[in-house]
Each structure stands twice: as C-alpha cells, then as structure tokens.
Amino acid sequence: MFKKLPRKFYYQPTLKVAQQLLGKYLVRRIGQQKIVGRIVETEAYLGHQDRASHAFGKITARNEIMFGSAGFWYVYLIYGIFYCLNIVTQRKGFPSAVLIRALEPIEGIETMKRLRKKSDLRDLSSGPGKLCQALKIDRSLNKTKAFVRNCYLWIEEKKEAGDFKIGASKRIGVDYAGPYWASRPWRFYIKDNQFVSKK
DNA sequence: CAAGAGATCATCT
DNA sequence: GATGATCTCTTGA
C-alpha cells in the first residue's frame, strides 16, 4: 500500500515536487520506532538567483548540497535553536530544494508528544522547526539519501492519494530577500488543513 | 487575540 | 561581528 518515492521523483521541476509532496508521508525510523506524518505544507527554493534561498550567490560549505543531485536531505540549524528539513531537487548544478514546513501527525504520536513536550496534536508538527523536533531530525541527517533501501528518513506515497485542494502563498520569513523574491507564490499547502503552520 | 522580545549558534563577512 | 527558510512566552487590549 505504501511505496517509497524513487529518486526520479526528486529530479522533477522544484515547483512540481513542492506541490506533489502534499499528501505524501514523511517517515522517520529510529531503531524499531517509526514516526510518520502527512505532508501538508511545503516551500520551493529555486535557483541561484533566488535571494531567499541559501544557494543565492556562491557555493559554500553549507549550501553545496543544494547544488548537488536530487533526493538528498538538507538539514540546517536556524536561529541557533531549531532545525529545518529540505529535500534537494532537480539536476546537479542547479541549486534547488523543497522545505517541508508542516505535517499532520499519523503514527508514533506518543513519541512526538514526548519529543515536543506538547500534548495538543496541532502543536506537534505544524511548522518547520516543530516537525524536526517531533521526528528527532538534526544535522546527523544532513546530506543523507532519501531514496536508498536502508535509510532513516524517507517519503512514501499511498495508492489512494486522497482528495484535497492546494493553496499557494508567498513564502514565510523571507522578507530580507526583497519584495520580488519574498512575494513569489512558492509556498504550497493543503487547503483547510488544521496542521498548516499559517493561514 | 496580536504584538514584541528573547533564546542561541552555525555560517558567512 | 552580524544574522537568520523559528518558536515560545509575556504583555496588554
């Protein structure tokens, strides 16, 4: 019933990947423990001209993974406190990634509650920093593969995708990129889903 | 409810 | 030395 997304999926155009990831399942394995969330919100970071992207300007130690080939995780620390999770997209040499911004808790909910120190379901993974905490995602997963047989973090799809409408808006928290790049409608979310991070 | 401040560190200048 | 693809808590209407 569930199938791990193949590497090919991530080679598609970033805006397409960002939209198609909605409704798919992010799976985290820690030993025997499995934590699963349904992806309800994403953002695209697209090309070296995107001033909102970490890949803007030149290649550095941190962003080099975004310049690499598709299907690798990019995990970074923000504000010295929280991690953010991205999946690298498109061909090698074209820097791009999709930020996974929010999940609907599906499996391993008690573990998520413990890791987050929260009990309300809507507080577990309704934001990029929150979901990394809930799935115990940190820098140890940076630059790892999402498409191999044995991995600790991957994405699955169900045969029946379910029915939902996709909403789009400007990306969150990137005003520093200037009005043009900050206003690109590259944030996608499942409409009327209560686990989306912002209205 | 909204607005504002503080937390805290890897990364880049 | 400055800052950020965030979150939580406090304050006040």
Side-chain angles (χ1 to χ4, degrees):
Chain A
M1 164 157 106
F2 287 94
K3 183 168 153 265
K4 185 180 290 182
L5 293 178
R7 188 174 196 190
K8 192 173 63 178
F9 178 89
Y10 303 107
Y11 272 98
Q12 302 178 94
T14 306
L15 292 175
K16 186 175 176 188
V17 173
Q19 291 170 77
Q20 292 203 352
L21 281 179
L22 296 175
K24 294 196 167 41
Y25 296 80
L26 181 66
V27 186
R28 170 78 165 120
R29 180 172 66 82
I30 308 167
Q32 303 289 351
Q33 175 74 45
K34 209 169 155 190
I35 308 172
V36 183
R38 180 169 173 255
I39 299 171
V40 300
E41 181 181 345
T42 60
E43 273 177 9
Y45 288 85
L46 186 42
H48 68 277
Q49 297 187 91
D50 181 357
R51 300 190 83 97
S53 171
H54 289 167
F56 175 71
K58 59 182 180 183
I59 190 163
T60 66
R62 178 172 73 161
N63 70 21
E64 69 168 352
I65 186 70
M66 291 183 70
F67 286 82
S69 46
F72 286 75
W73 295 112
Y74 167 40
V75 182
Y76 67 91
L77 182 69
I78 187 64
Y79 298 105
I81 307 187
F82 294 99
Y83 293 98
C84 287
L85 175 69
N86 302 252
I87 187 75
V88 174
T89 56
Q90 302 197 215
R91 65 171 172 80
K92 186 175 180 180
F94 183 80
S96 51
V98 172
L99 170 68
I100 298 181
R101 284 195 55 93
L103 305 173
E104 177 176 345
I106 300 291
E107 190 184 324
I109 291 176
E110 290 311 309
T111 306
M112 296 174 84
K113 287 180 179 174
R114 196 175 69 243
L115 288 165
R116 284 277 300 142
K117 301 185 172 72
K118 301 275 180 185
S119 55
D120 189 331
L121 280 191
R122 287 166 303 184
D123 274 336
L124 295 183
S125 51
S126 55
K130 297 180 189 177
L131 74 88
C132 284
Q133 217 169 49
L135 271 63
K136 209 173 177 181
I137 291 166
D138 59 28
R139 281 295 297 274
S140 68
L141 290 163
N142 191 38
K143 300 187 175 183
T144 62
K145 297 167 181 170
F147 52 85
V148 291
R149 182 175 291 277
N150 283 305
C151 48
Y152 299 101
L153 186 66
W154 67 94
I155 299 172
E156 293 183 353
E157 69 179 335
K158 234 181 183 175
K159 268 246 163 63
E160 305 283 324
D163 205 28
F164 53 81
K165 285 189 176 145
I166 296 178
S169 81
K170 56 184 284 192
R171 296 171 292 181
I172 307 294
V174 296
D175 287 344
Y176 63 84
Y180 178 79
W181 293 105
S183 66
R184 292 309 87 207
W186 291 351
R187 167 177 175 257
F188 304 100
Y189 56 94
I190 293 183
K191 276 190 180 172
D192 301 319
N193 185 284
Q194 61 176 324
F195 301 99
V196 166
S197 70
K198 295 204 158 59
K199 285 288 175 233

